[in-house]
Amino acid sequence: MFLDAPGGYGKSTLLQVVAADARSKGDIVLCVASSGIAALNLDGGTTAHSMFKLPLDLGDGTGYWNLRNTQQRADLIREAKLIIFDEISMAHKFLIEILDRSLQDLMGTNEVLGGKVCLFAGDFRQIPPVVPSAKTPSDVVFASLKCSHLWPHFRQFRLTVPQRTRSDDEYSSFLLSVGNDTLPQHVFGEGDNTDKVIALHGIRSVEKLDELIASVYPPDILRDPDASSTRAILCAHNVNVREINSAVMAKLPGGVQQLVSVDTIDKEMEGVDIDIDTLHLAEGKGVPNHILDLKIGAVCMIMRNLNMSERLVNGTKVIVEGISPRLVTVRKPGTQELIAIPRILFRFPVLEGSPLQMCRRQFPLQVCYGMTVHKSQGQTIFKVGLDLRSDCFTHGQLYVALSRTRRSDDVTVLGAPDRCVDNITYVRNIVYQELLDNT
Ligand SMILES: Nc1ncnc2c1ncn2[C@@H]1O[C@H](COP(=O)(O)OP(=O)(O)OP(=O)(O)O)[C@@H](O)[C@H]1O
C-alpha cells in the first residue's frame, strides 16, 4: 500500500495511529524511514538501513542482503505483521528493490516484498533521493520508487485534507500549486540569461540578510534557545547556511569557544605527502569543520545517528550547555537532562571523488540557525526564513521549504536583489513532471 498526500496532510501522524492500533492488538509492526530524523516521527522508528541491516553502498541495485545473518533480527522480520516506511519518496529505488529481494529470500517466496503487508508513505512533490553522480534530471527521476518495477504493485490511498496549514486555506492552495507547478511563470533577464520564476505572493519579502535573521530570530527569541530551536532559516545551498550561522552566532550573547579537530591522513594512505593545512581545509558531506565555533546556549544539530533509542540522530536539535576540549554537554529542547557528546571519527575523501581518504576527530555538531531545505523535510517548523539569494536547484526544494510552516504569516523570504519587485519575491521552482505523473 502507498499512502500518498502532499506535505503536511498528516501522513506520518496516520502511520503512527495505524502502528499503535496494530500494536495494541499484539501485532509486531516495524517502523522505518529513509532518514534518522524522519524515523523519529514514528514510535520505535529507525532507519531502513538499520532495521534491515542493508548495505550503505547500494551498488547497481541488483543484489540482495542476507537477512538471516542476524538470527534475532531475521525472526523479528519474519514475525512482523506490518512494515511501515515513511518518507519513501526520498529513498533510492535500489534500496526498496534490494529490500524486496531480501524479504523474498527470508520468507522463501517470490511474492513482492516477501508477501509482507507493507504501508509506505511519501509525497513525490517533495525532494527526491539524493544521487551524487546525477548529471541530468533523468538521473534523479530514474532513482525514484516511481521508476521501479515495484511501483505498479502498490495500491494507492490518498489523504485529501491539509492538516499543518488547516488554519490558512489560501496558503494550502498556494502550496499545492507550487508542488504541482501550476503557478504562472514569469521571465526575468534577457537573451541567453533568462530565467523562469514564480511569484511568492502573500509572503513577506525582505531585502537584507540582517532583516531575515531579525524576523526569524528577534533578540528575545535569540536569548531563549528552546524558542530558537522551533525556528529555522532554510537555504538551498550550504554556503548560505554557513553565512547565516556565523551571523547568528555573532549576535548570541557570550564568548565563542573554538573546538579544533585532529586531522590525519588515513592509515591506508600513509606515505602520501600532503600538507596538514589541506587536511584542515577539507570539507566532507555530513562532516563537521576543522574549527567548530560554539557558545553556551547555541542551538546545534547532531551530524550522525548516535543513538536511535535516545533519539539522538542526524538532524536532532540540541542546545549547548557545556564546552570542553573533550566533551560538549547538550540537552534536547524542552528537556533538562544533560547528554555528553564525545568527539567521533569521520573518514572521508580529502577532495570530493578523490581516492585519498582522511580522518577527522571532531564533535558531530553543527550550529543550526540556518539549515538546508533537505534537512527540514518531514518537519513542522514554527517560523521559517527562506534564504533564496541562490535559487533552489532540485525538484521539490521550494515546495518542501514553503510547506514546513502552518501559515503564510510564518514565512519570510530573502531573494536575489533583482528578483524583488513591489515587495514580491520571484524565485525558481524546479519540478520534474515525470515524478508527478499519477500523483
Ligand atoms: N488528523 C490530524 N488532526 C490534527 N492535526 C494533525 C492531524 N494530522 C496531522 N496533524 C498535524 O499536522 C502536522 C503535519 O502532520 P504530519 O507530519 O503527519 O504530515 P505529513 O503529511 O507527514 O507531512 P510531511 O509530508 O511534511 O512530512 C503536524 O503538526 C501534525 O501534528
Side-chain angles (χ1 to χ4, degrees):
M1 290 174 282
F2 180 74
L3 179 62
D4 179 26
Y9 275 44
K11 297 180 291 298
S12 305
T13 308
L14 182 60
L15 295 181
Q16 271 280 56
V17 173
V18 171
D21 181 58
R23 284 171 177 155
S24 74
K25 293 174 184 139
D27 291 339
I28 294 177
V29 182
L30 306 181
C31 290
V32 301
S34 45
S35 67
I37 193 75
L40 294 190
N41 287 332
L42 305 167
D43 270 345
T46 188
T47 59
H49 278 96
S50 162
M51 173 64 75
F52 300 109
K53 308 282 176 209
L54 295 172
L56 282 178
D57 182 359
L58 301 171
D60 62 0
T62 54
Y64 81 99
W65 203 241
N66 187 355
L67 294 173
R68 291 192 197 85
N69 271 340
T70 327
Q71 184 60 44
Q72 252 184 332
R73 186 54 54 98
D75 290 345
L76 180 74
I77 298 168
R78 267 196 212 98
E79 294 291 312
K81 277 273 162 51
L82 175 62
I83 297 175
I84 284 178
F85 198 143
D86 199 6
E87 299 286 351
I88 194 91
S89 34
M90 268 192 118
H92 198 293
K93 72 174 182 184
F94 288 171
L95 187 140
I96 322 295
E97 291 173 1
I98 291 175
L99 179 62
D100 170 46
R101 281 189 291 274
S102 308
L103 286 172
Q104 287 188 28
D105 173 63
L106 180 75
M107 303 305 292
T109 166
N110 291 331
E111 283 183 80
V112 172
L113 292 159
K116 286 281 171 200
V117 178
C118 293
L119 174 56
F120 291 3
D123 173 14
F124 290 103
R125 296 170 193 82
Q126 298 189 30
I127 300 175
V130 174
V131 184
S133 59
K135 296 208 166 40
T136 64
S138 313
D139 296 334
V140 177
V141 172
F142 169 81
S144 169
L145 174 63
K146 270 246 166 120
C147 291
S148 166
H149 64 273
L150 295 171
W151 180 242
H153 295 280
F154 283 90
R155 192 167 149 214
Q156 294 195 47
F157 296 86
R158 282 167 207 270
L159 296 176
T160 53
V161 180
Q163 296 297 337
R164 188 179 287 131
T165 53
R166 64 183 177 279
S167 63
D168 191 340
D169 291 344
E170 206 176 318
Y171 193 50
S172 301
S173 317
F174 170 74
L175 289 179
L176 214 46
S177 312
V178 173
N180 291 333
D181 198 23
T182 51
L183 288 171
Q185 300 266 354
H186 304 259
V187 178
F188 270 63
E190 283 174 4
D192 289 343
N193 283 330
T194 55
D195 216 353
K196 286 190 181 155
V197 290
I198 60 165
L200 297 183
H201 285 292
I203 292 179
R204 185 179 166 226
S205 293
V206 290
E207 292 182 4
K208 295 202 170 86
L209 183 58
D210 263 355
E211 290 176 77
L212 184 70
I213 292 174
S215 79
V216 180
Y217 299 111
D220 57 323
I221 296 290
L222 259 194
R223 282 192 296 273
D224 179 348
D226 291 274
S228 295
S229 71
T230 63
R231 301 170 169 229
I233 296 179
L234 304 180
C235 315
H237 300 266
N238 269 315
V239 59
N240 300 117
V241 170
R242 282 194 285 271
E243 185 185 356
I244 286 163
N245 283 328
S246 302
V248 178
M249 280 290 281
K251 291 179 195 294
L252 275 188
V256 171
Q257 300 199 41
Q258 275 198 346
L259 296 161
V260 180
S261 69
V262 178
D263 295 342
T264 50
I265 195 86
D266 190 70
K267 265 199 174 120
E268 288 171 21
M269 303 286 162
E270 269 169 10
V272 176
D273 187 21
I274 190 157
D275 189 48
I276 189 72
D277 289 337
T278 309
L279 300 185
H280 293 338
L281 286 173
E283 290 176 359
K285 193 171 168 287
V287 178
N289 287 343
H290 168 56
I291 296 177
L292 176 62
D293 285 338
L294 288 184
K295 283 186 181 180
I296 302 290
V299 181
C300 288
M301 190 182 273
I302 291 181
M303 300 176 76
R304 274 286 188 275
N305 290 341
L306 296 181
N307 187 330
M308 276 312 297
S309 55
E310 296 287 335
R311 306 172 77 79
L312 290 174
V313 301
N314 187 350
T316 300
K317 283 188 178 179
V318 290
I319 296 164
V320 176
E321 291 290 331
I323 306 169
S324 84
R326 286 176 190 279
L327 279 182
V328 175
T329 317
V330 300
R331 66 176 174 85
K332 283 190 248 172
T335 69
Q336 293 306 322
E337 192 191 340
L338 295 179
I339 303 159
I341 306 284
R343 289 180 190 260
I344 62 171
L345 195 68
F346 294 84
R347 190 169 180 270
F348 62 105
V350 178
L351 282 173
E352 205 181 323
S354 153
L356 201 58
Q357 295 283 320
M358 65 173 282
C359 296
R360 172 166 295 162
R361 194 170 281 282
Q362 180 59 294
F363 295 98
L365 293 170
Q366 180 183 30
V367 174
C368 71
Y369 296 93
M371 62 199 249
T372 59
V373 179
H374 277 76
K375 277 270 187 246
S376 73
Q377 190 144 315
Q379 297 183 37
T380 298
I381 303 174
F382 287 110
K383 187 100 184 164
V384 164
L386 283 188
D387 179 356
L388 293 177
R389 287 172 297 168
S390 303
D391 265 313
C392 290
F393 57 86
T394 193
H395 169 90
Q397 237 176 346
L398 180 65
Y399 169 66
V400 168
L402 288 167
S403 62
R404 296 307 94 203
T405 57
R406 297 169 196 271
R407 303 169 307 169
S408 60
D409 286 353
D410 295 334
V411 189
T412 306
V413 62
L414 169 67
D418 58 336
R419 298 278 183 83
C420 186
V421 182
D422 297 333
N423 281 327
I424 295 168
T425 300
Y426 291 78
V427 294
R428 202 186 295 159
N429 183 29
I430 299 181
V431 176
Y432 302 154
Q433 283 302 330
E434 302 92 313
L435 289 175
L436 302 191
D437 291 345
N438 306 318
T439 294

